Structures are given as structure tokens and as C-alpha cells.
Amino acid sequence: MFESAKGLIGRVLAGSILSLGLAVLPAFAADPLPSWNDGESKSAIVDFVTAVSTEGGPDFVAPADRIATFDNDGTLWAEQPMYVQLAFVLDRIKVLAPEHPDWQGTEPFKSALAGDMAGVAASGEAGLLQLLAATHSGMTSVEFTQIVSDWVAKAKHPETGKLYTAMIYQPMLELIRYLKANDFDVFIVSGGGIEFMRPWTEQVYGIPPQNVVGSTIETTFEMRDGGPVLLRGEHVSFIDDGPGKPVGIQTHIGKHPIAAFGNSDGDLQMLQWVTSGPGKRFGGIVHHDDEKREYAYDRKSHFGKLDKALDLAPSQGWQVFSIKQDWKSVHPQ
Amino acid sequence: MFESAKGLIGRVLAGSILSLGLAVLPAFAADPLPSWNDGESKSAIVDFVTAVSTEGGPDFVAPADRIATFDNDGTLWAEQPMYVQLAFVLDRIKVLAPEHPDWQGTEPFKSALAGDMAGVAASGEAGLLQLLAATHSGMTSVEFTQIVSDWVAKAKHPETGKLYTAMIYQPMLELIRYLKANDFDVFIVSGGGIEFMRPWTEQVYGIPPQNVVGSTIETTFEMRDGGPVLLRGEHVSFIDDGPGKPVGIQTHIGKHPIAAFGNSDGDLQMLQWVTSGPGKRFGGIVHHDDEKREYAYDRKSHFGKLDKALDLAPSQGWQVFSIKQDWKSVHPQ
């Protein structure tokens, strides 16, 4: 839907240029981030983008090297009251339960079916991996893509009743578009499953599958009667979180990005990596401090814990985006 | 150097259009593949590209889905008398030998230093992994990139005395450019090391790092006094060959390509994967059958063995490119 809107804006803009001359351009360029309040965060973003894209300027970066990476959960869309992918897991367990009568008496499935999150948590990492294996493996990549697409098209946030894809952050969407308009190549680098994100990121954020980096499950090629398939196994082959993020960036992109945006300690190493090195660089942290319009959490949160990165932000020159102060609106209207 | 040539051609062409009107365009469009002889292979390529890029036609494919994948060794550059990366390994062993006096009496290093390939081969896969570990790990990604760049800038093919980057195939370079000119997103999908290719693929083929898929070595993030680094370990974490190629495509691209080009059984599963599914698809195999201008090898070769894929080509509709028949010239002049 956003792509269509973008296309529409493009056509209207082109029409305006043709009918009104170029007068419309400065007005459009003057506010590329309409959902951001004027202030330090917005200025820092605009100053950075202007500096690296001003040809002949001291901080100019060639378009091919303008790479920006974004975390997803808590940075581009809501991660409370739980990660969206965990909500997907719990929904899938319910859908699959009739085929697995034994789950009624076996943990962690019993707790998951009862919606008892404390019980699920008590099963620890081993329990979570069991839930993940039961819902994310044993099918082909094509089948999994369909399952995710069907779910994301109708699953709703438990508190707002909106589609999860409507729980994205409008200011961050504008930031992605602003960067792309200035020839940045924009990537998602998320701890979430790569094939859980790819079915919808292009439509929702304008970020195509090849620009999505995430955690992966071991996948094997198999020739079947109906043709070749890629089969999703149970073994998690790469965790794209914490120190895994710079590794995921190196493997998938092979270039050193110049801007990174995150919201938790899971993004700490990505911020360290991206903002190191010569030339102008940008590190941005979304700080969830708005209990009225969204959520307020940081150092003690189960999901999206932000502690060390928040401490390091001032000395590292990372810009902390306050949702309360910096964002005019939170979600698309 | 090729990028400059391309830029030059673009400028000359633009100048021609300005001075001569559009008359120059049909002539240019008429022969996008000047180093290919007229014949079945050239026609098949042109017919395919025309079909998928003709808007409104029955085989039209949206630009975002025009993905093409190319093997590298033996498909884009020479792989005889040995893989270029193996020549790099042997050269590096010689450079590093003074720091490792024990290598003089220890296999597989002893044979490698003596240039005794039979001795190296006798050490088996374990021996090759030892050579790989000694030359590809223990440094940062930045350091390895520098080592590869320095080597590739001066290492020469043992038989022609040319730089390895001059041992690329001119007709395939034209094919890449022809696909890109028709809005294809072109990727390399090679069994070679991803960080061995990325330092030079953009300059040589016009394919940027993020479009290079290859085998990977386990890499870890580390904070050092001088800042964060990515450290290359000894463990091979992914082998992008044979059944690994469709997996590499899925992980890095996340889309189903519509065209694939290879030259050996290591490309068999990529060809099977890419040419399966609905819509028009293209599978191409470079057949090394020209002992005069290049090399003649297939079913019994140590490097680039082509056996099963050659047998399957007719029934699968894969186009076999005969270097002898189809290519007017082999390497750039």
C-alpha cells in the first residue's frame, strides 16, 4: 500500500513539476520528515544526509557507499507486548495443535496453548527452540512464505486491534524514504527470521527481499517428483543479533555501512561497527519513552532491552530519538 | 578498467544520439552481444531477454523479478590449469613460509612449497582445509581484503602470463551488461570464497559486493583497542557449491531467479532450481571445447567437471554454449 502511495506522490509531483515549473521542489525538499518534530534528532539526520550527499563537500560519500542498516523489532515496528514473531509462533501452535494431541500435556506446548507466558518462559531457551522448530521447520521455503503471508494479512496486535503491519513507525518510514531519495541503499538487519520478514517488507517498508538480513534456519535442497524444493530444517544456522549483526552485514552486504538505526542492546555491536571507521557516520537509537502514545521501556524490558547502548550513546555520538519528544505521530494514520 | 570503458561507450553513445538523432539506437540494440557468433546460443539469449522484458507480452517479467545468477570459475573467468583461488593459496603459502619453518617438513605444506600438486592432492580434503586455514584465516576482513587486492593486482596466469582479471570471458561480460541494460539484477553465485571475490568483482564485472554470493568462513565480531573488527576464523561455515547454491541464492537474494549460467556439475542444482517454476526461464552452460583458444575439458576434469549437467541439458532445455562455435573471441582484447 505504501508503494502505491509513493507511486501516486511521484506522479502528482511529476505533474506539479510539469504544470508549475520547478517551484514545487524546494517546498518538498524542505520537509522530508514531516512526522518528526523540529529538534536535535531531526536536525542531526538532515545534517548527516546533506553532508554525505553534497557533491564536492568535505563529507561527500559516493552513492554506491551510502549504505544504511535498520533493526526491525522496536525500530521499524512495535515489539511490545511481545515480538511479533513470537505472536506468530503462539498462533501457529494453536493452529497445529489438533495434529499433535500430545502437546496438551507436554511443555512448552501446554503453556503456549494456555497462553501462559510465564510457563513458556520457564521452559527456557530449549523450550523456545522447541516451539520454533514446531512452527518454522518441516516445510519448504515456498510453503513457509505462504503461511507467513496469510498470517500477516490478518493477525492483529492484541492491544490496539490493528494489523501488525499498521504498527510500524511512520517517522522511521519517512526516514527510510528520505535516505532512499538520497541514493542510500537501505537494508534491514534484524534478529528476526529472514524468511519471516521477506514476504512483507517490500510492500510495507519498500525494502526488497535481497535487502533483508536476518536469522536463518538450516535449509537443504531436495529434488522431489514435482521439482526441486528448499526444505527448512530445525537447526538455527545463524543468529543475526548482537555480535551477529556486523557478521550478517559483512556476509550479506560486504560493505561497511555509514548509518545504523536500532533500539536495543541487540543493536549495540551493529552501532559500534557501523559508526567506526573514517568519514562521517550516523548511529541512531529509538528510545521508547512514550507510555501514552506507545510504550515506555528500556533497561529492564524482556523485549528490546536497552541498557549498555543507552549508556554508550553520548560518548559514541549516537543520536537518541525520543518518541515522546521527537515524533509528531507514531504510527501511520 | 571495464567500468571506465563502459562509461566511455556511454558517453560516446550519448554524444552520437545528440549529434545524429536516434538513428544510432537500433544499430546498438541490434548487436548487444558482438563477441557471440550468430547461432542457436545467441538467438536463445536474445529471444529470452526480449520475451521477459517486452511489456504486455505473454512472457513479461517485472524488472524487480528479473534476477540472473552466474557461477564464476569457468563461467566468467578461466579455471584451468587450476582454480585461481588455489593459485592464491599456493602463492600465500610461499609468502608465509619464512614465518613457519616447520612447513618445510610437514605435509601438505611441503608439497605446496615444492609446487608438487600430486603431493597436495594426496593430502586429501583435510590437507586442503589446512592450506585454506593457513592462508584465509587469522586476520580481519579488512586485512584479508587488502591481501586479495594486492595479489589480484599483480598475480599472473601461469600459461598466458596475463593478469587473472584479463582471463575473464568477453562474451560473458557482454551477457552481464546486456542483462543489466534490460533491468536484470545480476548476482555471482560461486563456490569460491565470498571475500576472495568481492574486492575485484565490481571493477572487473560491474557486480558490486552485495551481489556476490560465495562460500564463507566463520567470522566473529571483536572489540579491540583500535575499534571493532571482524575476525576470520578457520571453520568453513557455508559451502556455496552444488546443492549449496540454491540455498545461497535463497539466503542472499530471497527471490527465485529466472536465469542461471554455469559450466560444471557444481552448478547442476542451481540450474535445476532456477529453471523450475512457472514462466519463461533460462539455463545456460559454458562448454569448454576449444583446446586452441582456451581449454577442452568436461567429464574427466579435476577442476570444473561437467558430466551430469551436460547429460541433462537437452531434456531440461538448458542451452549449451560451445566456446569453439559460439564465441567470436574468448578474452578481452
Side-chain angles (χ1 to χ4, degrees):
Chain A
M1 72 185 142
F2 296 104
E3 277 305 293
S4 314
K6 197 179 164 191
L8 186 66
I9 290 165
R11 275 193 295 278
V12 169
L13 185 64
S16 304
I17 292 170
L18 289 174
S19 59
L20 304 173
L22 288 165
V24 71
L25 272 181
F28 181 73
D31 198 0
L33 302 169
S35 299
W36 291 72
N37 288 316
D38 289 333
E40 203 190 303
S41 290
K42 184 170 178 170
S43 300
I45 294 169
V46 173
D47 289 351
F48 169 75
V49 173
T50 305
V52 299
S53 48
T54 300
E55 210 155 346
D59 300 312
F60 179 71
V61 174
D65 294 320
R66 286 182 215 156
I67 312 273
T69 55
F70 286 80
D71 167 57
N72 184 41
D73 298 309
T75 298
L76 295 181
W77 74 354
E79 63 184 353
Q80 301 289 355
M82 69 174 82
Y83 294 131
V84 179
Q85 195 169 358
L86 183 53
F88 168 77
V89 166
L90 297 179
D91 279 0
R92 286 300 295 166
I93 290 288
K94 283 177 195 146
V95 169
L96 297 169
E99 301 164 33
H100 304 271
D102 56 307
W103 284 359
Q104 302 292 343
T106 319
E107 290 296 0
F109 303 99
K110 188 180 163 186
S111 291
L113 287 169
D116 172 9
M117 292 309 292
V120 169
S123 71
E125 196 186 318
L128 278 173
L129 285 175
Q130 272 185 281
L131 294 175
L132 200 70
T135 54
H136 282 65
S137 69
M139 72 289 279
T140 69
S141 285
V142 170
E143 288 164 352
F144 186 70
T145 295
Q146 192 58 53
I147 291 168
V148 172
S149 299
D150 291 346
W151 183 82
V152 127
K154 57 183 202 306
K156 296 195 172 144
H157 190 274
E159 290 167 9
T160 67
K162 289 182 184 178
L163 287 176
Y164 285 109
T165 49
M167 296 296 290
I168 62 175
Y169 301 128
Q170 176 65 21
M172 298 305 281
L173 195 63
E174 292 168 6
L175 177 52
I176 290 174
R177 289 175 182 170
Y178 177 48
L179 291 169
K180 289 176 77 169
N182 283 280
D183 295 328
F184 273 77
D185 202 3
V186 174
F187 289 79
I188 289 174
V189 178
S190 166
I194 198 167
E195 296 202 328
F196 178 74
M197 295 182 283
R198 282 173 164 168
W200 51 269
T201 54
E202 185 149 26
Q203 197 193 347
V204 172
Y205 302 132
I207 298 178
Q210 61 266 43
N211 282 32
V212 176
V213 182
S215 296
T216 54
I217 218 161
E218 197 172 58
T219 302
T220 48
F221 177 84
E222 210 177 281
M223 279 304 286
R224 289 185 175 175
D225 286 346
V229 295
L230 292 172
L231 198 63
R232 292 172 55 86
E234 295 195 357
H235 173 64
V236 175
S237 51
F238 177 65
I239 298 178
D240 190 49
D241 199 32
K245 289 203 176 192
V247 175
I249 288 169
Q250 181 70 7
T251 307
H252 284 257
I253 311 175
K255 287 182 172 178
H256 202 139
I258 61 167
F261 304 89
N263 78 299
S264 79
D265 283 358
D267 304 310
L268 174 59
Q269 290 84 355
M270 173 167 77
L271 287 162
Q272 289 175 319
W273 175 245
V274 171
T275 61
S276 72
K280 217 170 176 66
R281 289 160 188 279
F282 196 97
I285 297 175
V286 175
H287 190 197
H288 295 267
D289 59 358
D290 191 331
E291 74 289 354
K292 284 192 185 159
R293 296 187 302 168
E294 209 238 355
Y295 298 94
Y297 63 96
D298 47 33
R299 299 182 193 275
K300 290 179 180 168
S301 179
H302 286 296
F303 302 105
K305 176 178 170 177
L306 174 65
D307 186 34
K308 282 184 196 167
L310 194 58
D311 288 339
L312 281 168
S315 69
Q316 300 301 306
W318 300 333
Q319 190 69 39
V320 177
F321 304 150
S322 158
I323 292 184
K324 201 170 184 172
Q325 307 288 337
D326 292 332
W327 289 2
K328 210 168 281 179
S329 61
V330 179
H331 302 296
Q333 302 297 315
Chain B
M1 74 184 140
F2 297 104
E3 275 307 292
S4 315
K6 196 177 161 190
L8 186 65
I9 290 165
R11 276 194 295 276
V12 169
L13 184 64
S16 304
I17 291 170
L18 288 173
S19 58
L20 303 173
L22 288 165
V24 71
L25 271 181
F28 181 74
D31 198 1
L33 302 168
S35 299
W36 291 72
N37 288 316
D38 289 333
E40 202 189 305
S41 289
K42 185 169 178 170
S43 299
I45 293 169
V46 173
D47 289 351
F48 169 75
V49 173
T50 305
V52 300
S53 48
T54 299
E55 211 154 344
D59 299 314
F60 179 71
V61 174
D65 294 321
R66 286 181 215 156
I67 312 274
T69 56
F70 285 79
D71 167 57
N72 183 41
D73 298 309
T75 298
L76 296 181
W77 75 354
E79 64 185 352
Q80 300 290 355
M82 69 174 83
Y83 294 131
V84 179
Q85 195 168 359
L86 182 52
F88 168 77
V89 166
L90 297 178
D91 279 1
R92 286 298 297 167
I93 290 289
K94 283 176 195 145
V95 170
L96 297 170
E99 301 165 33
H100 303 271
D102 55 306
W103 285 359
Q104 302 291 341
T106 319
E107 290 295 2
F109 303 99
K110 188 180 163 185
S111 291
L113 287 168
D116 171 9
M117 291 310 292
V120 170
S123 72
E125 197 186 318
L128 278 172
L129 285 175
Q130 272 185 282
L131 294 175
L132 200 71
T135 54
H136 282 66
S137 70
M139 72 289 278
T140 69
S141 284
V142 170
E143 288 163 354
F144 186 70
T145 295
Q146 193 58 53
I147 291 168
V148 171
S149 299
D150 291 346
W151 183 82
V152 127
K154 56 182 203 309
K156 296 195 172 144
H157 190 274
E159 291 168 8
T160 67
K162 290 183 184 178
L163 287 177
Y164 285 109
T165 48
M167 297 296 291
I168 61 174
Y169 301 127
Q170 177 65 21
M172 298 305 281
L173 195 62
E174 292 169 7
L175 176 52
I176 289 173
R177 289 174 183 170
Y178 178 47
L179 291 170
K180 288 175 77 170
N182 283 280
D183 295 327
F184 274 76
D185 202 4
V186 175
F187 290 79
I188 289 175
V189 178
S190 166
I194 198 166
E195 296 201 328
F196 178 74
M197 296 183 282
R198 282 173 164 168
W200 51 269
T201 55
E202 184 148 26
Q203 197 193 347
V204 173
Y205 303 132
I207 297 179
Q210 62 267 43
N211 282 32
V212 176
V213 182
S215 297
T216 54
I217 217 162
E218 195 172 60
T219 302
T220 48
F221 176 85
E222 210 177 281
M223 279 304 287
R224 289 183 175 174
D225 286 345
V229 296
L230 292 172
L231 198 63
R232 292 171 55 86
E234 296 195 356
H235 173 65
V236 175
S237 51
F238 177 65
I239 297 177
D240 190 48
D241 198 31
K245 289 203 177 193
V247 175
I249 288 170
Q250 181 71 6
T251 307
H252 283 258
I253 311 175
K255 286 181 174 179
H256 202 138
I258 60 167
F261 303 90
N263 78 300
S264 79
D265 283 358
D267 304 310
L268 174 60
Q269 290 84 356
M270 174 168 75
L271 287 162
Q272 289 174 319
W273 174 244
V274 171
T275 60
S276 71
K280 218 171 174 65
R281 288 160 188 279
F282 195 97
I285 296 175
V286 175
H287 190 198
H288 296 268
D289 59 359
D290 191 330
E291 74 288 355
K292 285 192 183 159
R293 296 187 302 168
E294 209 237 355
Y295 298 95
Y297 63 95
D298 46 32
R299 298 183 194 275
K300 290 178 180 169
S301 180
H302 286 299
F303 302 105
K305 176 178 170 177
L306 174 65
D307 185 34
K308 282 184 197 168
L310 195 57
D311 288 339
L312 281 168
S315 69
Q316 301 300 304
W318 299 334
Q319 190 70 37
V320 177
F321 304 150
S322 159
I323 292 184
K324 200 171 186 173
Q325 308 288 336
D326 292 331
W327 289 3
K328 209 168 281 178
S329 62
V330 178
H331 302 296
Q333 303 298 314

